[in-house]
Amino acid sequence: MNFDFSDDQKFLKNEARKFLDANCPTSRVRKVLDDDAKAYDADLWKAVAGQGWLGAAIPEAHGGLGLGHLELCVIAEELGRAVAPIPFASTVYFLAEAIMLAGDEQQKAELLPKIAAGEIIGAVATSEGPGVVTASNLQASVVDGKLSGVKVPVTDGDIADLALVLAKENGKPGLYLVDLNAASVTREAVKTLDPTRDAAKLTFSGAATRRLGGAGDGIELLEQIFDRAAVLLAFEQTGGADRCLEMAKEYAMERYAFGRVIASYQAIKHKLADMYVKNELSRSNAYYGAWALNTNAPELPVAASAARIAASEAYWFGSKENIQTHGGIGFTWEMDCHLHYRRSRQLSLVAGAPRVWKERLVSHLERRNVEAA
């Protein structure tokens, strides 16, 4: 059985890499990092929308390309390699997937074409501070269709047009679509380790809402959305991890110490080998997740959790060891190593930290074993 991507998908991957090499060099990433007033690369966002990537998995009937999730996975991997400073994940992995999964026909017809065209930037607002939000500790509430509460941090919340918000109504958790440009929404920028991915504190004071899915289904729907997003995030992280390995190898093959390239020293070889092993483990789990996502298999929760854990570990480890391989110069602002280290930390916290996904994986495996007994 062939678990690899098809020739057409590999072609899309190669074309995406060429496009990003030309349109998203690290110099453009640094412009966003250096400019406090610039939260993302608006020109790159328009260019990506023009390529049709925002609608890769959106059906043609709703303005997308209708390609599927496997194609979206290969695009995600290349965006990860390029450390693209755009709100692609928040808009596509979370908002678009949520609407396709749980939206009614009116919501799909209204919002999906705008997402595919790049006219809407999305965000997902679940966190209310430290700790995991549950049905019992959820504070944000909806009364008579009006949302009140605080969400922090919200990735891309300072630039988003539409947010997917977890809140309770009549004591039951639900998911709601909220226009962030309304006067009843206040935004406050939040500083993070990776300024190329914006974050904000959102305060809702009677904001109008539209419910997504059924009443009281918020937690269950959110877990399904996060499972789908986890697979796509895993590909983005895998792409970044692979780039870290390439950077470390290239530098090790060029840098001389005591008359020899440092790649010839055993300590450096071990670093690169460890990076390679973790990257391959990440890729194999990501492929498993891609299969489960594309086929809507029952194994998706387990596959998504495994992919999320392996990819988070691979990218963090790769970004760290890339800096170490570069030595003292690797810590400097002029080198690009820190761009990947920043992004690896940011991506590892989106949709829950690795420890949360480890708990989810164990819970899913235990449940599966009980059902099989």
Side-chain angles (χ1 to χ4, degrees):
M1 183 177 292
N2 183 10
F3 288 98
D4 201 359
F5 288 109
S6 68
D7 290 340
D8 287 342
Q9 290 156 357
K10 291 178 181 178
F11 177 78
L12 174 61
K13 178 183 173 72
N14 291 333
E15 291 302 305
R17 182 172 300 187
K18 291 178 183 177
F19 173 84
L20 290 169
D21 284 345
N23 293 276
C24 187
T26 53
S27 58
R28 291 190 66 161
V29 181
R30 285 176 174 275
K31 286 182 179 180
V32 177
L33 185 63
D34 291 335
D35 189 346
D36 292 338
K38 194 172 185 179
Y40 74 112
D41 191 327
D43 292 334
L44 179 61
W45 179 252
K46 293 177 182 177
V48 165
Q51 292 292 309
W53 294 357
L54 299 176
I58 295 175
E60 292 183 77
H62 292 127
L65 297 181
L67 295 177
H69 285 100
L70 293 182
E71 286 75 11
L72 187 54
C73 285
V74 301
I75 292 171
E77 183 175 348
E78 295 309 311
L79 289 170
R81 282 180 56 88
V83 204
I86 54 177
F88 194 92
S90 298
T91 305
V92 179
Y93 307 166
F94 291 98
L95 182 61
E97 287 296 321
I99 295 171
M100 287 193 290
L101 177 66
D104 58 34
E105 288 305 315
Q106 181 180 355
Q107 290 168 339
K108 292 178 181 178
E110 176 191 351
L111 299 174
L112 290 179
K114 293 180 180 180
I115 291 175
E119 297 172 4
I120 289 179
I121 292 176
V124 57
T126 59
S127 174
E128 297 181 343
V132 179
V133 175
T134 64
S136 60
N137 64 18
L138 182 61
Q139 297 298 311
S141 61
V142 174
V143 178
D144 296 329
K146 304 295 184 179
L147 171 66
S148 297
V150 176
K151 295 291 182 178
V152 60
V154 179
T155 302
D156 298 315
D158 205 29
I159 57 175
D161 303 295
L162 188 66
L164 180 68
V165 182
L166 178 67
K168 60 183 179 182
E169 184 174 15
N170 297 322
K172 298 179 180 179
L175 287 179
Y176 299 87
L177 296 171
V178 182
D179 180 5
L180 296 186
N181 296 315
S184 53
V185 180
T186 303
R187 316 189 202 205
E188 181 182 344
V190 174
K191 290 186 177 181
T192 67
L193 182 63
D194 184 9
T196 65
R197 291 299 306 276
D198 176 65
K201 175 183 179 181
L202 302 181
T203 303
F204 303 96
S205 305
T209 65
R210 287 181 288 174
R211 193 176 68 232
L212 194 70
D217 293 341
I219 298 295
E220 182 181 348
L221 276 177
L222 192 64
E223 288 183 352
Q224 295 179 48
I225 294 164
F226 277 15
D227 283 340
R228 299 159 83 94
V231 175
L232 298 166
L233 287 169
F235 272 91
E236 191 167 325
Q237 292 169 302
T238 300
D242 274 350
R243 181 58 189 142
C244 288
L245 176 57
E246 289 178 6
M247 292 170 66
K249 176 188 173 184
E250 289 168 1
Y251 184 81
M253 295 294 289
E254 296 174 355
R255 178 76 167 98
Y256 276 76
F258 304 106
R260 297 164 53 186
V261 292
I262 64 173
S264 65
Y265 291 103
Q266 191 175 49
I268 299 297
K269 291 179 180 179
H270 284 179
K271 284 183 181 293
L272 300 180
D274 288 343
M275 292 169 70
Y276 175 79
V277 170
K278 289 184 181 294
N279 287 6
E280 289 304 296
L281 180 61
S282 173
R283 184 171 298 280
S284 64
N285 279 285
Y287 273 40
Y288 179 35
W291 165 80
L293 174 60
N294 195 57
T295 59
N296 198 26
E299 294 91 343
L300 178 58
V302 171
S305 299
R308 176 71 171 151
I309 294 165
S312 296
E313 171 66 17
Y315 197 11
W316 170 77
F317 183 83
S319 65
K320 175 175 66 76
E321 291 302 311
N322 183 32
I323 294 175
Q324 294 291 334
T325 302
H326 279 73
I329 197 173
F331 290 84
T332 63
W333 186 264
E334 289 73 16
M335 300 300 291
D336 291 334
C337 303
H338 65 93
L339 299 178
H340 284 281
Y341 185 82
R342 293 169 184 273
R343 184 59 60 87
S344 74
R345 305 314 295 151
Q346 189 271 334
L347 287 179
S348 70
L349 296 177
V350 175
R355 66 176 182 83
V356 175
W357 287 93
K358 290 176 183 178
E359 292 175 0
R360 290 184 66 177
L361 177 60
V362 171
S363 296
H364 287 306
L365 291 175
E366 288 178 341
R367 191 179 304 126
R368 189 172 68 179
N369 290 340
V370 170
E371 293 172 353

